[in-house]
Amino acid sequence: MLLELIKETILIPITLFPILNPLSITPVFANMIGSASRETEKRVARQVAINCWFLLMGAIFIGSHVLALFGISLPIVRVGGGILVAVVGWRLLNNSGQETAISKHVAENYPDDISDEEWKIRSFYPISFPLTVGPGTMAASITLGANTPTGLVDWTISAGSISLGAGLTALGIYFCCRYANTVVRMLGKLGTMVVLRLSAFILLCIGIQIVWSGLVGLFKEIGVLAA
């Protein structure tokens, strides 16, 4: 039983980290947090990690039920989410004045005395979703949740291991966001600009790839392509 708990706990981050790739979001997060204080950076990073943990848990445990309730298939999730990711990547890639504007906005509008509810709202979009936990991660999480056992004891063990695994994943996201500005300072202004533009381009490509995967899935559903 303990071995099964450890195996399932490790399975979650191993499966999701390559899809999440939080390191690629580091320059984007640093750009969005701007010149805010270290305490603000830490608080936003913590809230982003918490948001991502809840998103992962929701996708794993109730994602498939929500999709079934509304009659939505995974290919549709990929198409819609891929378009959203591609749009965010396109905006980051093309808006030359965005770096200064966002940095100024965050520095001026993230005071330490705002409420916890306001922190949750401001840290959710687009940092937590769709940049960190995007449609690819949601689809993978829903797939992992589909294999959850139905027996009470087995389900309890599985739920505990999934919670721990999602917690480890969120912890990795926290550290990537927490030290984003440190990484940016090491890269310098030119290096940051290059990495930011490359990250935006990669986000655009990821969005297009997710859309394409969703379209292929839809074509297979209607019989245009062989399964």
Side-chain angles (χ1 to χ4, degrees):
M1 185 178 296
L2 180 61
L3 182 62
E4 189 68 22
L5 178 67
I6 295 173
K7 186 171 72 173
E8 288 195 18
T9 300
I10 296 174
L11 177 65
I12 300 296
I14 287 178
T15 303
L16 297 182
F17 259 123
I19 306 172
L20 282 164
N21 193 14
L23 288 174
S24 66
I25 307 301
T26 298
V28 180
F29 177 83
N31 177 64
M32 290 184 170
I33 202 64
S35 57
S37 67
R38 289 188 176 183
E39 183 60 32
T40 298
E41 181 186 26
K42 181 179 179 180
R43 191 173 183 182
V44 175
R46 182 171 63 245
Q47 190 58 57
V48 167
I50 293 172
N51 292 343
C52 291
W53 185 82
F54 278 108
L55 285 170
L56 293 175
M57 294 293 288
I60 291 171
F61 285 109
I62 65 173
S64 58
H65 303 293
V66 172
L67 294 183
L69 177 65
F70 291 99
I72 303 172
S73 64
L74 280 177
I76 292 294
V77 173
R78 291 191 177 100
V79 171
I83 292 173
L84 184 59
V85 171
V87 168
V88 173
W90 179 261
R91 288 178 177 173
L92 285 171
L93 188 62
N94 285 276
N95 193 344
S96 58
Q98 188 174 21
E99 291 88 349
T100 305
I102 291 179
S103 298
K104 183 178 180 182
H105 171 79
V106 174
E108 292 180 351
N109 294 281
Y110 272 68
D112 294 332
D113 58 347
I114 63 175
S115 66
D116 290 337
E117 188 66 26
E118 190 68 18
W119 278 108
K120 294 175 184 177
I121 294 171
R122 298 189 186 192
S123 64
F124 183 78
Y125 181 86
I127 301 175
S128 301
F129 178 85
L131 293 183
T132 306
V133 177
T137 306
M138 299 288 280
S141 300
I142 291 171
T143 303
L144 288 171
N147 299 321
T148 304
T150 56
L152 180 60
V153 176
D154 291 337
W155 184 90
T156 303
I157 296 172
S158 180
S161 62
I162 288 171
S163 300
L164 288 174
L168 291 175
T169 306
L171 186 63
I173 294 170
Y174 168 76
F175 280 114
C176 288
C177 293
R178 173 66 182 85
Y179 297 103
N181 272 325
T182 302
V183 174
V184 166
R185 282 193 294 270
M186 291 172 61
L187 291 172
K189 187 175 181 179
L190 177 60
T192 301
M193 183 187 69
V194 171
V195 172
L196 180 63
R197 294 300 182 185
L198 287 175
S199 299
F201 179 69
I202 291 171
L203 277 175
L204 176 63
C205 294
I206 289 173
I208 295 173
Q209 178 61 52
I210 294 171
V211 171
W212 178 252
S213 299
L215 290 174
V216 169
L218 290 175
F219 288 151
K220 288 180 179 180
E221 285 186 357
I222 63 178
V224 175
L225 295 176

